[in-house]
mmCIF file with all atom_site columns, all heavy atoms in Angstrom:
data_model
loop_
_atom_site.group_PDB
_atom_site.id
_atom_site.type_symbol
_atom_site.label_atom_id
_atom_site.label_alt_id
_atom_site.label_comp_id
_atom_site.label_asym_id
_atom_site.label_entity_id
_atom_site.label_seq_id
_atom_site.pdbx_PDB_ins_code
_atom_site.Cartn_x
_atom_site.Cartn_y
_atom_site.Cartn_z
_atom_site.occupancy
_atom_site.B_iso_or_equiv
_atom_site.pdbx_formal_charge
_atom_site.auth_seq_id
_atom_site.auth_comp_id
_atom_site.auth_asym_id
_atom_site.auth_atom_id
_atom_site.pdbx_PDB_model_num
ATOM 1   N N   . ARG A 1 8  ? -138.186 -122.584 -193.256 1.00 0.00 ? 8  ARG A N   1
ATOM 2   C CA  . ARG A 1 8  ? -137.437 -123.727 -193.789 1.00 0.00 ? 8  ARG A CA  1
ATOM 3   C C   . ARG A 1 8  ? -138.498 -124.794 -194.150 1.00 0.00 ? 8  ARG A C   1
ATOM 4   O O   . ARG A 1 8  ? -139.613 -124.808 -193.570 1.00 0.00 ? 8  ARG A O   1
ATOM 5   C CB  . ARG A 1 8  ? -136.566 -124.317 -192.716 1.00 0.00 ? 8  ARG A CB  1
ATOM 6   C CG  . ARG A 1 8  ? -137.146 -124.733 -191.535 1.00 0.00 ? 8  ARG A CG  1
ATOM 7   C CD  . ARG A 1 8  ? -136.171 -125.314 -190.461 1.00 0.00 ? 8  ARG A CD  1
ATOM 8   N NE  . ARG A 1 8  ? -136.847 -125.824 -189.300 1.00 0.00 ? 8  ARG A NE  1
ATOM 9   C CZ  . ARG A 1 8  ? -137.327 -126.982 -189.157 1.00 0.00 ? 8  ARG A CZ  1
ATOM 10  N NH1 . ARG A 1 8  ? -137.372 -127.845 -190.172 1.00 0.00 ? 8  ARG A NH1 1
ATOM 11  N NH2 . ARG A 1 8  ? -137.897 -127.329 -188.051 1.00 0.00 ? 8  ARG A NH2 1
ATOM 12  N N   . PRO A 1 9  ? -138.221 -125.683 -195.027 1.00 0.00 ? 9  PRO A N   1
ATOM 13  C CA  . PRO A 1 9  ? -139.119 -126.748 -195.418 1.00 0.00 ? 9  PRO A CA  1
ATOM 14  C C   . PRO A 1 9  ? -139.484 -127.640 -194.227 1.00 0.00 ? 9  PRO A C   1
ATOM 15  O O   . PRO A 1 9  ? -138.555 -127.820 -193.334 1.00 0.00 ? 9  PRO A O   1
ATOM 16  C CB  . PRO A 1 9  ? -138.350 -127.459 -196.489 1.00 0.00 ? 9  PRO A CB  1
ATOM 17  C CG  . PRO A 1 9  ? -137.311 -126.617 -196.942 1.00 0.00 ? 9  PRO A CG  1
ATOM 18  C CD  . PRO A 1 9  ? -136.879 -125.736 -195.868 1.00 0.00 ? 9  PRO A CD  1
ATOM 19  N N   . LEU A 1 10 ? -140.613 -128.181 -194.179 1.00 0.00 ? 10 LEU A N   1
ATOM 20  C CA  . LEU A 1 10 ? -141.099 -129.005 -193.069 1.00 0.00 ? 10 LEU A CA  1
ATOM 21  C C   . LEU A 1 10 ? -140.456 -130.412 -193.272 1.00 0.00 ? 10 LEU A C   1
ATOM 22  O O   . LEU A 1 10 ? -140.245 -130.855 -194.355 1.00 0.00 ? 10 LEU A O   1
ATOM 23  C CB  . LEU A 1 10 ? -142.581 -129.146 -193.107 1.00 0.00 ? 10 LEU A CB  1
ATOM 24  C CG  . LEU A 1 10 ? -143.374 -127.832 -192.856 1.00 0.00 ? 10 LEU A CG  1
ATOM 25  C CD1 . LEU A 1 10 ? -144.795 -128.051 -193.070 1.00 0.00 ? 10 LEU A CD1 1
ATOM 26  C CD2 . LEU A 1 10 ? -143.103 -127.303 -191.454 1.00 0.00 ? 10 LEU A CD2 1
ATOM 27  N N   . TRP A 1 11 ? -140.142 -131.058 -192.156 1.00 0.00 ? 11 TRP A N   1
ATOM 28  C CA  . TRP A 1 11 ? -139.664 -132.434 -192.240 1.00 0.00 ? 11 TRP A CA  1
ATOM 29  C C   . TRP A 1 11 ? -140.886 -133.397 -192.352 1.00 0.00 ? 11 TRP A C   1
ATOM 30  O O   . TRP A 1 11 ? -141.933 -133.015 -191.917 1.00 0.00 ? 11 TRP A O   1
ATOM 31  C CB  . TRP A 1 11 ? -138.788 -132.818 -191.098 1.00 0.00 ? 11 TRP A CB  1
ATOM 32  C CG  . TRP A 1 11 ? -139.479 -132.837 -189.762 1.00 0.00 ? 11 TRP A CG  1
ATOM 33  C CD1 . TRP A 1 11 ? -140.321 -133.786 -189.336 1.00 0.00 ? 11 TRP A CD1 1
ATOM 34  C CD2 . TRP A 1 11 ? -139.418 -131.837 -188.786 1.00 0.00 ? 11 TRP A CD2 1
ATOM 35  N NE1 . TRP A 1 11 ? -140.782 -133.465 -188.086 1.00 0.00 ? 11 TRP A NE1 1
ATOM 36  C CE2 . TRP A 1 11 ? -140.149 -132.256 -187.655 1.00 0.00 ? 11 TRP A CE2 1
ATOM 37  C CE3 . TRP A 1 11 ? -138.633 -130.655 -188.662 1.00 0.00 ? 11 TRP A CE3 1
ATOM 38  C CZ2 . TRP A 1 11 ? -140.294 -131.481 -186.527 1.00 0.00 ? 11 TRP A CZ2 1
ATOM 39  C CZ3 . TRP A 1 11 ? -138.759 -129.955 -187.467 1.00 0.00 ? 11 TRP A CZ3 1
ATOM 40  C CH2 . TRP A 1 11 ? -139.648 -130.319 -186.455 1.00 0.00 ? 11 TRP A CH2 1
ATOM 41  N N   . HIS A 1 12 ? -140.667 -134.553 -192.938 1.00 0.00 ? 12 HIS A N   1
ATOM 42  C CA  . HIS A 1 12 ? -141.753 -135.394 -193.237 1.00 0.00 ? 12 HIS A CA  1
ATOM 43  C C   . HIS A 1 12 ? -141.312 -136.870 -192.775 1.00 0.00 ? 12 HIS A C   1
ATOM 44  O O   . HIS A 1 12 ? -140.135 -137.236 -192.806 1.00 0.00 ? 12 HIS A O   1
ATOM 45  C CB  . HIS A 1 12 ? -142.241 -135.450 -194.632 1.00 0.00 ? 12 HIS A CB  1
ATOM 46  C CG  . HIS A 1 12 ? -142.623 -134.107 -195.151 1.00 0.00 ? 12 HIS A CG  1
ATOM 47  N ND1 . HIS A 1 12 ? -143.914 -133.576 -194.858 1.00 0.00 ? 12 HIS A ND1 1
ATOM 48  C CD2 . HIS A 1 12 ? -141.970 -133.127 -195.727 1.00 0.00 ? 12 HIS A CD2 1
ATOM 49  C CE1 . HIS A 1 12 ? -143.944 -132.313 -195.388 1.00 0.00 ? 12 HIS A CE1 1
ATOM 50  N NE2 . HIS A 1 12 ? -142.797 -132.075 -195.868 1.00 0.00 ? 12 HIS A NE2 1
ATOM 51  N N   . HIS A 1 13 ? -142.240 -137.684 -192.395 1.00 0.00 ? 13 HIS A N   1
ATOM 52  C CA  . HIS A 1 13 ? -141.980 -138.955 -191.778 1.00 0.00 ? 13 HIS A CA  1
ATOM 53  C C   . HIS A 1 13 ? -142.116 -140.025 -192.916 1.00 0.00 ? 13 HIS A C   1
ATOM 54  O O   . HIS A 1 13 ? -143.170 -140.148 -193.525 1.00 0.00 ? 13 HIS A O   1
ATOM 55  C CB  . HIS A 1 13 ? -142.971 -139.256 -190.667 1.00 0.00 ? 13 HIS A CB  1
ATOM 56  C CG  . HIS A 1 13 ? -142.720 -140.549 -189.921 1.00 0.00 ? 13 HIS A CG  1
ATOM 57  N ND1 . HIS A 1 13 ? -141.543 -140.725 -189.213 1.00 0.00 ? 13 HIS A ND1 1
ATOM 58  C CD2 . HIS A 1 13 ? -143.415 -141.621 -189.885 1.00 0.00 ? 13 HIS A CD2 1
ATOM 59  C CE1 . HIS A 1 13 ? -141.492 -141.955 -188.756 1.00 0.00 ? 13 HIS A CE1 1
ATOM 60  N NE2 . HIS A 1 13 ? -142.743 -142.499 -189.082 1.00 0.00 ? 13 HIS A NE2 1
ATOM 61  N N   . ASP A 1 14 ? -141.060 -140.863 -193.107 1.00 0.00 ? 14 ASP A N   1
ATOM 62  C CA  . ASP A 1 14 ? -141.074 -141.944 -194.023 1.00 0.00 ? 14 ASP A CA  1
ATOM 63  C C   . ASP A 1 14 ? -141.537 -141.498 -195.521 1.00 0.00 ? 14 ASP A C   1
ATOM 64  O O   . ASP A 1 14 ? -142.235 -142.176 -196.120 1.00 0.00 ? 14 ASP A O   1
ATOM 65  C CB  . ASP A 1 14 ? -142.064 -142.998 -193.568 1.00 0.00 ? 14 ASP A CB  1
ATOM 66  C CG  . ASP A 1 14 ? -141.595 -143.676 -192.308 1.00 0.00 ? 14 ASP A CG  1
ATOM 67  O OD1 . ASP A 1 14 ? -140.389 -143.615 -192.021 1.00 0.00 ? 14 ASP A OD1 1
ATOM 68  O OD2 . ASP A 1 14 ? -142.428 -144.120 -191.529 1.00 0.00 ? 14 ASP A OD2 1
ATOM 69  N N   . ASP A 1 15 ? -140.981 -140.323 -195.907 1.00 0.00 ? 15 ASP A N   1
ATOM 70  C CA  . ASP A 1 15 ? -141.235 -139.819 -197.163 1.00 0.00 ? 15 ASP A CA  1
ATOM 71  C C   . ASP A 1 15 ? -142.731 -139.769 -197.589 1.00 0.00 ? 15 ASP A C   1
ATOM 72  O O   . ASP A 1 15 ? -143.205 -140.012 -198.698 1.00 0.00 ? 15 ASP A O   1
ATOM 73  C CB  . ASP A 1 15 ? -140.531 -140.659 -198.212 1.00 0.00 ? 15 ASP A CB  1
ATOM 74  C CG  . ASP A 1 15 ? -139.020 -140.552 -198.062 1.00 0.00 ? 15 ASP A CG  1
ATOM 75  O OD1 . ASP A 1 15 ? -138.624 -139.494 -197.623 1.00 0.00 ? 15 ASP A OD1 1
ATOM 76  O OD2 . ASP A 1 15 ? -138.373 -141.642 -198.299 1.00 0.00 ? 15 ASP A OD2 1
ATOM 77  N N   . GLU A 1 16 ? -143.583 -139.498 -196.625 1.00 0.00 ? 16 GLU A N   1
ATOM 78  C CA  . GLU A 1 16 ? -144.996 -139.333 -196.834 1.00 0.00 ? 16 GLU A CA  1
ATOM 79  C C   . GLU A 1 16 ? -145.283 -138.079 -197.686 1.00 0.00 ? 16 GLU A C   1
ATOM 80  O O   . GLU A 1 16 ? -144.516 -137.137 -197.638 1.00 0.00 ? 16 GLU A O   1
ATOM 81  C CB  . GLU A 1 16 ? -145.840 -139.309 -195.548 1.00 0.00 ? 16 GLU A CB  1
ATOM 82  C CG  . GLU A 1 16 ? -145.699 -140.611 -194.782 1.00 0.00 ? 16 GLU A CG  1
ATOM 83  C CD  . GLU A 1 16 ? -146.449 -140.478 -193.475 1.00 0.00 ? 16 GLU A CD  1
ATOM 84  O OE1 . GLU A 1 16 ? -146.960 -139.367 -193.127 1.00 0.00 ? 16 GLU A OE1 1
ATOM 85  O OE2 . GLU A 1 16 ? -146.640 -141.600 -192.792 1.00 0.00 ? 16 GLU A OE2 1
ATOM 86  N N   . PRO A 1 17 ? -146.381 -137.965 -198.436 1.00 0.00 ? 17 PRO A N   1
ATOM 87  C CA  . PRO A 1 17 ? -146.711 -136.802 -199.123 1.00 0.00 ? 17 PRO A CA  1
ATOM 88  C C   . PRO A 1 17 ? -146.893 -135.583 -198.224 1.00 0.00 ? 17 PRO A C   1
ATOM 89  O O   . PRO A 1 17 ? -147.371 -135.656 -197.073 1.00 0.00 ? 17 PRO A O   1
ATOM 90  C CB  . PRO A 1 17 ? -148.116 -137.064 -199.713 1.00 0.00 ? 17 PRO A CB  1
ATOM 91  C CG  . PRO A 1 17 ? -148.093 -138.643 -199.768 1.00 0.00 ? 17 PRO A CG  1
ATOM 92  C CD  . PRO A 1 17 ? -147.363 -139.033 -198.614 1.00 0.00 ? 17 PRO A CD  1
ATOM 93  N N   . ARG A 1 18 ? -146.409 -134.421 -198.660 1.00 0.00 ? 18 ARG A N   1
ATOM 94  C CA  . ARG A 1 18 ? -146.417 -133.209 -197.790 1.00 0.00 ? 18 ARG A CA  1
ATOM 95  C C   . ARG A 1 18 ? -147.876 -132.761 -197.633 1.00 0.00 ? 18 ARG A C   1
ATOM 96  O O   . ARG A 1 18 ? -148.712 -132.672 -198.574 1.00 0.00 ? 18 ARG A O   1
ATOM 97  C CB  . ARG A 1 18 ? -145.666 -132.106 -198.534 1.00 0.00 ? 18 ARG A CB  1
ATOM 98  C CG  . ARG A 1 18 ? -144.123 -132.446 -198.542 1.00 0.00 ? 18 ARG A CG  1
ATOM 99  C CD  . ARG A 1 18 ? -143.426 -131.264 -199.170 1.00 0.00 ? 18 ARG A CD  1
ATOM 100 N NE  . ARG A 1 18 ? -141.987 -131.462 -199.136 1.00 0.00 ? 18 ARG A NE  1
ATOM 101 C CZ  . ARG A 1 18 ? -141.068 -130.592 -199.706 1.00 0.00 ? 18 ARG A CZ  1
ATOM 102 N NH1 . ARG A 1 18 ? -141.551 -129.550 -200.251 1.00 0.00 ? 18 ARG A NH1 1
ATOM 103 N NH2 . ARG A 1 18 ? -139.782 -130.887 -199.631 1.00 0.00 ? 18 ARG A NH2 1
ATOM 104 N N   . SER A 1 19 ? -148.200 -132.486 -196.382 1.00 0.00 ? 19 SER A N   1
ATOM 105 C CA  . SER A 1 19 ? -149.524 -131.980 -196.078 1.00 0.00 ? 19 SER A CA  1
ATOM 106 C C   . SER A 1 19 ? -149.545 -130.545 -195.788 1.00 0.00 ? 19 SER A C   1
ATOM 107 O O   . SER A 1 19 ? -150.654 -130.005 -195.570 1.00 0.00 ? 19 SER A O   1
ATOM 108 C CB  . SER A 1 19 ? -150.040 -132.760 -194.755 1.00 0.00 ? 19 SER A CB  1
ATOM 109 O OG  . SER A 1 19 ? -149.129 -132.515 -193.757 1.00 0.00 ? 19 SER A OG  1
#
Side-chain angles (χ1 to χ4, degrees):
R8 63 177 179 84
L10 300 172
W11 64 77
H12 302 278
H13 184 66
D14 295 335
D15 296 327
E16 294 178 353
R18 291 181 177 180
S19 58

